[in-house]
Amino acid sequence: MLLNHRRALKIAGALLAATVVMFAAVALDDGHGPIQALDDAWLDAMVAIRWTPLVWLAKIMAFTGSVWVNWPLRILALGVLAWKRRWVQLSAFALAIVSSEILIGTVKVLYERPRPPGSLIDTSGFSFPSGHAIAGAVTAVGLVIVLLQPGSRRWKWELRAAAFAFLMAASRPYLGAHWLTDVVAGGLLGVTLAIGWPALLQELRDRRRAMVRASG
């Protein structure tokens, strides 16, 4: 499932630590500290470089991270995994999806961070973390990990998935729908879940097999 799932667990642990640091930094910022100053400066820079063709491109990228794209892809992938009886991969992807959806709603309510003013697209709910960034990372990176076999081909697709997730997330602050730190935190959390669940389930399966061999 993963070329080296224990290495993947270490990577997921490092990403989780970075996620916790980002979440703590935003929580401790009172709206007038360095985090908000960074977000304000980034928003000003995005407004300054807005250009109609780029705005439309950003809107297309934002749509690719919406529920209208994410959920059909997820359902299709889960169906393929079930048909192929790849239960560990199916379980890992399902857990990444469920945990991400629970965390998106829960954390938004806990933080109650207002969105930036003057968004160019319709938004709803609170700003932190970016649900688009979380869902996009879980879907893009998760699909590659659970559907492709380890090797150079999957590595290339992992890079493409990461690039897509980055561009999609970057479209949100460009359009004024999120602060920069919303999408950074969301992207970190999404990739952590997408990598962490498959690696964890693979490790648990290997340990169970080792125990069976030892007892036999």
Short mmCIF file of all heavy atoms in Angstrom, two decimals, residues 46 50-65 120-121 132 167-177:
data_model
loop_
_atom_site.label_atom_id
_atom_site.label_comp_id
_atom_site.label_asym_id
_atom_site.label_seq_id
_atom_site.Cartn_x
_atom_site.Cartn_y
_atom_site.Cartn_z
N MET A 46 -2.82 40.08 -2.80
CA MET A 46 -3.69 39.39 -3.74
C MET A 46 -4.62 40.36 -4.46
O MET A 46 -4.85 40.25 -5.67
CB MET A 46 -4.51 38.31 -3.03
CG MET A 46 -3.69 37.16 -2.46
SD MET A 46 -2.76 36.22 -3.71
CE MET A 46 -1.12 36.97 -3.56
N ARG A 50 -4.86 41.27 -8.76
CA ARG A 50 -6.03 40.67 -9.40
C ARG A 50 -6.12 41.11 -10.86
O ARG A 50 -5.94 42.28 -11.18
CB ARG A 50 -7.30 41.05 -8.64
CG ARG A 50 -7.54 40.17 -7.42
CD ARG A 50 -8.77 40.60 -6.66
NE ARG A 50 -8.93 39.80 -5.44
CZ ARG A 50 -9.74 40.13 -4.45
NH1 ARG A 50 -10.47 41.24 -4.53
NH2 ARG A 50 -9.84 39.35 -3.39
N TRP A 51 -6.41 40.12 -11.70
CA TRP A 51 -6.51 40.33 -13.14
C TRP A 51 -7.63 39.43 -13.62
O TRP A 51 -7.70 38.26 -13.25
CB TRP A 51 -5.17 39.99 -13.79
CG TRP A 51 -5.11 40.16 -15.27
CD1 TRP A 51 -5.56 41.20 -16.00
CD2 TRP A 51 -4.51 39.24 -16.20
NE1 TRP A 51 -5.31 41.01 -17.33
CE2 TRP A 51 -4.65 39.81 -17.49
CE3 TRP A 51 -3.86 38.01 -16.07
CZ2 TRP A 51 -4.19 39.18 -18.63
CZ3 TRP A 51 -3.39 37.39 -17.21
CH2 TRP A 51 -3.55 37.97 -18.48
N THR A 52 -8.52 39.96 -14.44
CA THR A 52 -9.74 39.23 -14.79
C THR A 52 -9.50 37.79 -15.24
O THR A 52 -10.17 36.88 -14.74
CB THR A 52 -10.54 40.00 -15.85
OG1 THR A 52 -10.88 41.29 -15.34
CG2 THR A 52 -11.82 39.25 -16.20
N PRO A 53 -8.57 37.51 -16.15
CA PRO A 53 -8.33 36.11 -16.53
C PRO A 53 -7.90 35.24 -15.35
O PRO A 53 -8.32 34.08 -15.23
CB PRO A 53 -7.22 36.21 -17.58
CG PRO A 53 -7.38 37.58 -18.16
CD PRO A 53 -7.79 38.44 -17.00
N LEU A 54 -7.06 35.80 -14.46
CA LEU A 54 -6.63 35.03 -13.31
C LEU A 54 -7.78 34.82 -12.32
O LEU A 54 -7.86 33.78 -11.67
CB LEU A 54 -5.46 35.73 -12.61
CG LEU A 54 -4.10 35.63 -13.28
CD1 LEU A 54 -3.05 36.36 -12.47
CD2 LEU A 54 -3.70 34.16 -13.47
N VAL A 55 -8.64 35.81 -12.22
CA VAL A 55 -9.81 35.66 -11.33
C VAL A 55 -10.68 34.51 -11.80
O VAL A 55 -11.14 33.68 -11.01
CB VAL A 55 -10.61 36.97 -11.27
CG1 VAL A 55 -11.96 36.74 -10.58
CG2 VAL A 55 -9.82 38.05 -10.53
N TRP A 56 -10.92 34.44 -13.11
CA TRP A 56 -11.74 33.35 -13.64
C TRP A 56 -11.05 32.00 -13.47
O TRP A 56 -11.69 31.00 -13.15
CB TRP A 56 -12.06 33.59 -15.12
CG TRP A 56 -13.18 34.58 -15.29
CD1 TRP A 56 -13.10 35.86 -15.71
CD2 TRP A 56 -14.57 34.35 -15.01
NE1 TRP A 56 -14.33 36.46 -15.72
CE2 TRP A 56 -15.26 35.55 -15.30
CE3 TRP A 56 -15.29 33.24 -14.55
CZ2 TRP A 56 -16.63 35.67 -15.12
CZ3 TRP A 56 -16.67 33.36 -14.37
CH2 TRP A 56 -17.32 34.56 -14.66
N LEU A 57 -9.73 31.97 -13.66
CA LEU A 57 -8.99 30.73 -13.45
C LEU A 57 -9.07 30.30 -11.98
O LEU A 57 -9.25 29.11 -11.68
CB LEU A 57 -7.53 30.92 -13.86
CG LEU A 57 -6.60 29.72 -13.64
CD1 LEU A 57 -7.09 28.51 -14.44
CD2 LEU A 57 -5.17 30.08 -14.02
N ALA A 58 -8.95 31.28 -11.08
CA ALA A 58 -9.05 30.98 -9.65
C ALA A 58 -10.43 30.45 -9.29
O ALA A 58 -10.57 29.54 -8.47
CB ALA A 58 -8.73 32.23 -8.83
N LYS A 59 -11.46 31.01 -9.93
CA LYS A 59 -12.82 30.52 -9.67
C LYS A 59 -12.98 29.08 -10.15
O LYS A 59 -13.66 28.27 -9.50
CB LYS A 59 -13.84 31.43 -10.35
CG LYS A 59 -13.98 32.80 -9.67
CD LYS A 59 -15.04 33.64 -10.36
CE LYS A 59 -15.22 34.98 -9.64
NZ LYS A 59 -16.27 35.83 -10.27
N ILE A 60 -12.36 28.75 -11.28
CA ILE A 60 -12.42 27.37 -11.78
C ILE A 60 -11.70 26.44 -10.80
O ILE A 60 -12.19 25.35 -10.47
CB ILE A 60 -11.79 27.27 -13.18
CG1 ILE A 60 -12.66 28.02 -14.19
CG2 ILE A 60 -11.61 25.81 -13.59
CD1 ILE A 60 -12.01 28.16 -15.56
N MET A 61 -10.51 26.86 -10.32
CA MET A 61 -9.77 26.04 -9.37
C MET A 61 -10.55 25.87 -8.08
O MET A 61 -10.57 24.78 -7.49
CB MET A 61 -8.41 26.68 -9.08
CG MET A 61 -7.46 26.68 -10.26
SD MET A 61 -7.11 25.01 -10.88
CE MET A 61 -6.41 24.24 -9.42
N ALA A 62 -11.22 26.94 -7.63
CA ALA A 62 -12.02 26.85 -6.41
C ALA A 62 -13.16 25.86 -6.59
O ALA A 62 -13.51 25.10 -5.68
CB ALA A 62 -12.56 28.23 -6.04
N PHE A 63 -13.76 25.83 -7.80
CA PHE A 63 -14.86 24.91 -8.05
C PHE A 63 -14.37 23.46 -8.01
O PHE A 63 -15.09 22.57 -7.55
CB PHE A 63 -15.49 25.19 -9.41
CG PHE A 63 -16.59 24.23 -9.77
CD1 PHE A 63 -17.84 24.33 -9.19
CD2 PHE A 63 -16.37 23.21 -10.69
CE1 PHE A 63 -18.85 23.43 -9.50
CE2 PHE A 63 -17.37 22.31 -11.01
CZ PHE A 63 -18.62 22.42 -10.41
N THR A 64 -13.14 23.21 -8.48
CA THR A 64 -12.62 21.84 -8.45
C THR A 64 -12.44 21.33 -7.02
O THR A 64 -12.34 20.11 -6.82
CB THR A 64 -11.28 21.74 -9.19
OG1 THR A 64 -10.30 22.56 -8.52
CG2 THR A 64 -11.42 22.18 -10.63
N GLY A 65 -12.40 22.24 -6.06
CA GLY A 65 -12.30 21.82 -4.67
C GLY A 65 -13.63 21.79 -3.95
O GLY A 65 -13.68 21.57 -2.74
N LEU A 120 -14.84 37.49 -3.68
CA LEU A 120 -15.34 37.52 -5.05
C LEU A 120 -16.24 36.32 -5.36
O LEU A 120 -16.79 36.25 -6.47
CB LEU A 120 -14.17 37.54 -6.03
CG LEU A 120 -13.22 38.74 -5.92
CD1 LEU A 120 -12.16 38.66 -7.01
CD2 LEU A 120 -13.98 40.06 -6.03
N ILE A 121 -16.38 35.40 -4.42
CA ILE A 121 -17.26 34.25 -4.60
C ILE A 121 -18.11 34.07 -3.35
O ILE A 121 -17.78 34.59 -2.28
CB ILE A 121 -16.47 32.95 -4.87
CG1 ILE A 121 -15.44 32.70 -3.77
CG2 ILE A 121 -15.82 32.99 -6.24
CD1 ILE A 121 -14.67 31.42 -3.94
N HIS A 132 -12.09 23.82 1.85
CA HIS A 132 -11.63 23.50 0.49
C HIS A 132 -10.22 22.91 0.52
O HIS A 132 -9.93 21.94 -0.18
CB HIS A 132 -11.64 24.75 -0.38
CG HIS A 132 -12.93 24.99 -1.11
ND1 HIS A 132 -14.10 25.28 -0.44
CD2 HIS A 132 -13.23 24.97 -2.43
CE1 HIS A 132 -15.06 25.45 -1.33
NE2 HIS A 132 -14.56 25.25 -2.55
N LEU A 167 -2.57 24.65 -5.79
CA LEU A 167 -3.18 25.66 -6.65
C LEU A 167 -4.64 25.91 -6.26
O LEU A 167 -5.10 27.05 -6.25
CB LEU A 167 -3.10 25.23 -8.11
CG LEU A 167 -1.70 25.26 -8.73
CD1 LEU A 167 -1.74 24.66 -10.13
CD2 LEU A 167 -1.16 26.68 -8.77
N MET A 168 -5.35 24.83 -5.95
CA MET A 168 -6.74 24.99 -5.55
C MET A 168 -6.84 25.79 -4.27
O MET A 168 -7.66 26.70 -4.14
CB MET A 168 -7.39 23.61 -5.39
CG MET A 168 -8.91 23.63 -5.19
SD MET A 168 -9.38 24.01 -3.48
CE MET A 168 -8.60 22.62 -2.64
N ALA A 169 -5.99 25.46 -3.29
CA ALA A 169 -6.01 26.18 -2.02
C ALA A 169 -5.60 27.64 -2.21
O ALA A 169 -6.18 28.55 -1.60
CB ALA A 169 -5.08 25.49 -1.02
N ALA A 170 -4.60 27.88 -3.09
CA ALA A 170 -4.13 29.24 -3.33
C ALA A 170 -5.21 30.12 -3.95
O ALA A 170 -5.19 31.35 -3.79
CB ALA A 170 -2.90 29.22 -4.22
N SER A 171 -6.15 29.50 -4.65
CA SER A 171 -7.22 30.28 -5.28
C SER A 171 -8.13 30.93 -4.25
O SER A 171 -8.74 31.97 -4.52
CB SER A 171 -8.05 29.39 -6.20
OG SER A 171 -8.84 28.46 -5.47
N ARG A 172 -8.23 30.34 -3.07
CA ARG A 172 -9.17 30.85 -2.06
C ARG A 172 -8.75 32.22 -1.51
O ARG A 172 -9.55 33.16 -1.53
CB ARG A 172 -9.32 29.83 -0.94
CG ARG A 172 -9.74 28.44 -1.40
CD ARG A 172 -11.13 28.45 -1.98
NE ARG A 172 -12.13 28.60 -0.92
CZ ARG A 172 -13.44 28.73 -1.13
NH1 ARG A 172 -13.91 28.76 -2.35
NH2 ARG A 172 -14.28 28.85 -0.12
N PRO A 173 -7.53 32.41 -1.02
CA PRO A 173 -7.15 33.76 -0.58
C PRO A 173 -7.04 34.74 -1.74
O PRO A 173 -7.23 35.95 -1.55
CB PRO A 173 -5.79 33.55 0.12
CG PRO A 173 -5.30 32.25 -0.36
CD PRO A 173 -6.49 31.41 -0.66
N TYR A 174 -6.73 34.25 -2.94
CA TYR A 174 -6.68 35.15 -4.10
C TYR A 174 -8.05 35.76 -4.36
O TYR A 174 -8.17 36.94 -4.71
CB TYR A 174 -6.20 34.40 -5.33
CG TYR A 174 -6.07 35.27 -6.57
CD1 TYR A 174 -5.02 36.18 -6.69
CD2 TYR A 174 -6.99 35.21 -7.60
CE1 TYR A 174 -4.89 36.99 -7.82
CE2 TYR A 174 -6.88 36.01 -8.73
CZ TYR A 174 -5.83 36.90 -8.83
OH TYR A 174 -5.72 37.71 -9.94
N LEU A 175 -9.09 34.96 -4.15
CA LEU A 175 -10.47 35.44 -4.35
C LEU A 175 -11.05 36.12 -3.11
O LEU A 175 -12.18 36.60 -3.14
CB LEU A 175 -11.37 34.26 -4.74
CG LEU A 175 -11.03 33.59 -6.09
CD1 LEU A 175 -11.82 32.31 -6.24
CD2 LEU A 175 -11.31 34.55 -7.24
N GLY A 176 -10.28 36.14 -2.03
CA GLY A 176 -10.76 36.77 -0.80
C GLY A 176 -11.73 35.92 -0.01
O GLY A 176 -12.43 36.44 0.87
N ALA A 177 -11.77 34.63 -0.30
CA ALA A 177 -12.69 33.73 0.40
C ALA A 177 -12.10 33.22 1.71
O ALA A 177 -12.83 32.77 2.60
CB ALA A 177 -13.06 32.55 -0.48
#
